[in-house]
Amino acid sequence: MLKSKVAVVTGSTSGIGLGIARALAAAGADLMINGFGEAAAIAAPGDCRGPRVDVLVNNAGIQHVAPVHEFPLERWDAVIAINLTAVFLTTRAVLPQMLARDWGRIINIASVHGLVASVDKSAYVASKHGVVGFTKGVALETATTGITCNAICPGWVLTPLVQKQIDALAARDKLDPEEARVKLLGEKQPSLEFTTPEELGALATFLCSDAAAQLSGVALPVDGGWLAR
Ligand code: NAD
C-alpha cells in the first residue's frame, strides 16, 4: 500500500516508534528512522530539494514526573521542546514538499494525556494537549489538500518510558515488578492490558491509507477504555 512512499518516524529506535516504523515498512514504505544516533535529514522549511517525506510520524517524547511546585524548569523546558516544539519544527519542515505533491500524512503520537490529566505530569499533559491542538490547526490549514494530520492517543504501552514509572511505583509501594504492573494498569486502563506498539503501527498504517483520506484533525484514543470512565 505504501510502496514508493517515504516515511520518517521520530524516536523510532525503541518502543512505539519502532513498532510504527516496522508496520509502515511492512506496508512497503521506505523508512527513515531516528533516535539518539545520526541526525535524520529532513528538508529545511521552504526547501523542497531535500529528501522526500510522504509520511511524518512525530513520536519522539519524554516524561518527567513531579508535583508542579517542585517541577524543575529545565525538565519543563525539555518536555515542551521534545514533545511539542519538535512536532511543530518537523511539520514545518516537511509541509512545503507535501503541499507541492498534494499528498501527505502527518501522524502525531500524543497520549490520553492530550485529552485528560494525571497528577504530577503537568509538563507532559500540557505538551500533549498542545500536540492535539496543533494537530487540529494543521488539519484545518491542509483541509483542501491531499494531506491529513491526526493524533493517536495511546493509554499505557509497555515501553522503556513506562517501565521507568513501573519501577518507581514498585520502589515507592514496595511491590514486586508484576504487582507494580497490575497496579499501574488498574489505576487507569480498564482492559488491564497494555496497548501494544503493533496495534499502534496498524492504526498508523490505516491512517496512511486511501480509506482515511477524509479522516483529519482527530485525536484517536487507543486506551483500553481509559477515557470511558
Ligand atoms: P520510548 O522511551 O521507548 O521511546 C521514545 C523515543 O524517543 C526513543 O526512541 C528516544 O530515542 C526518542 N527520543 C527521546 N528524546 C529524543 C530527542 N531529543 N531526539 C530524538 N529522539 C528522542 O518511549 P515510548 O513509550 O515509545 O514513547 C513514544 C511516544 O509515545 C512518546 O511521544 C510518548 O509520549 C508517547 N506515549 C507513550 C505512552 C506509553 O504508555 N508508553 C502512552 C502514550 C503516549
Side-chain angles (χ1 to χ4, degrees), residues 8 10 53-58 90-91 94 98 105-107:
V8 172
T10 69
V53 179
D54 302 290
V55 176
L56 170 65
V57 182
N58 286 304
T90 52
T91 302
V94 303
M98 287 182 177
R105 294 288 187 266
I106 300 170
I107 301 170

Side-chain angles (χ1 to χ4, degrees), residues 87-178:
V87 175
F88 156 66
L89 290 172
T90 52
T91 302
R92 188 178 67 164
V94 303
L95 261 180
Q97 47 167 306
M98 287 182 177
L99 288 166
R101 283 193 297 278
D102 198 28
W103 198 92
R105 294 288 187 266
I106 300 170
I107 301 170
N108 298 324
I109 308 306
S111 166
V112 283
H113 287 116
L115 300 166
V116 294
S118 292
V119 293
D120 293 348
K121 296 185 175 175
S122 56
Y124 189 83
V125 167
S127 71
K128 296 299 188 179
H129 274 68
V131 168
V132 169
F134 180 72
T135 299
K136 293 176 185 173
V138 174
L140 280 183
E141 290 186 27
T142 57
T144 59
T145 75
I147 300 165
T148 68
C149 180
N150 293 291
I152 293 178
C153 298
W156 289 125
V157 186
L158 190 53
T159 66
L161 182 140
V162 164
Q163 189 60 50
K164 278 187 214 155
Q165 296 174 62
I166 294 172
D167 295 344
L169 185 64
R172 193 194 70 194
D173 294 359
K174 300 191 179 16
L175 302 171
D176 70 36
E178 183 52 26

